[in-house]
Amino acid sequence: MAKPKVTKQQVLYREFASYSSIFQNRPVLYRVVETLVFITAVFLLTVYMSPDSGVYKVLLFGSLFVFLGGAPLLYKFLLSPTYTLTRDELIVKLGKKERQYNLTDVESLSQWKPIFNLNGKKENLMVSKDFAQRLDDQLAKVRKGRKR
């Protein structure tokens, strides 16, 4: 049986990840892949061009901006990260994949970065500080209501 869709009345807060949120909070795996692609590009430039040439230096810095600075734009375009907070659920949508987490199964792991334990798995959420604060507040309300 399919879960009912979340109605507008149930949504407390919805956020579409911004470039800066994605850039600052993207998962480590994304950063590793970006770095490997950049290293490959540098290696190919070194093989085909002289490192002393001006064109090499321009292409080197250009690839730095394209691969490391442009990757969050690619994630934003392809994945369209969307986070929805309801009274009792966190809904994470990355691309066509949507996951729902009961707030009783969500735990904040850091007060400095939006790193959460979702069903026992540590995940970076690519959200703003405002969304992370609202999520922390809602988690506190859920825990307080559960203790009664």
Side-chain angles (χ1 to χ4, degrees):
M1 190 159 131
K3 275 191 161 183
K5 288 285 186 183
V6 177
T7 63
K8 268 190 166 181
Q9 292 83 13
Q10 295 172 323
V11 173
L12 297 177
Y13 196 66
R14 176 174 285 141
E15 179 171 290
F16 302 94
S18 67
Y19 173 85
S20 62
S21 295
I22 294 171
F23 184 80
Q24 293 172 356
N25 303 319
R26 63 194 185 275
V28 174
L29 178 64
Y30 290 17
R31 294 174 193 259
V32 168
V33 169
E34 292 166 17
T35 304
L36 291 175
V37 169
F38 174 69
I39 289 171
T40 303
V42 169
F43 177 72
L44 291 173
L45 279 174
T46 306
V47 167
Y48 292 109
M49 300 185 86
S50 170
D52 294 333
S53 72
V55 174
Y56 171 81
K57 293 173 185 172
V58 168
L59 288 176
L60 180 67
F61 283 107
S63 64
L64 176 69
F65 288 116
V66 167
F67 292 121
L68 301 183
L73 285 175
L74 184 67
Y75 303 144
K76 184 172 175 59
F77 178 72
L78 293 177
L79 298 178
S80 301
T82 306
Y83 300 89
T84 305
L85 179 63
T86 67
R87 289 181 52 178
D88 56 352
E89 283 187 324
L90 172 65
I91 302 166
V92 178
K93 186 176 182 223
L94 293 172
K96 294 180 182 179
K97 191 175 182 182
E98 184 175 291
R99 299 172 294 175
Q100 296 181 334
Y101 301 98
N102 195 334
L103 289 183
T104 57
D105 299 328
V106 176
E107 177 186 3
S108 179
L109 297 177
S110 172
Q111 68 183 38
W112 308 110
K113 293 191 81 151
I115 301 173
F116 290 86
N117 191 356
L118 306 176
N119 283 345
K121 185 179 176 190
K122 180 179 159 183
E123 276 195 47
N124 287 23
L125 299 183
M126 296 179 280
V127 295
S128 66
K129 290 179 183 179
D130 184 44
F131 185 91
Q133 184 61 47
R134 289 178 191 231
L135 177 56
D136 282 337
D137 293 345
Q138 191 63 25
L139 289 172
K141 288 178 185 176
V142 167
R143 281 191 202 94
K144 188 176 181 181
R146 195 170 53 170
K147 287 182 183 178
R148 289 182 181 179

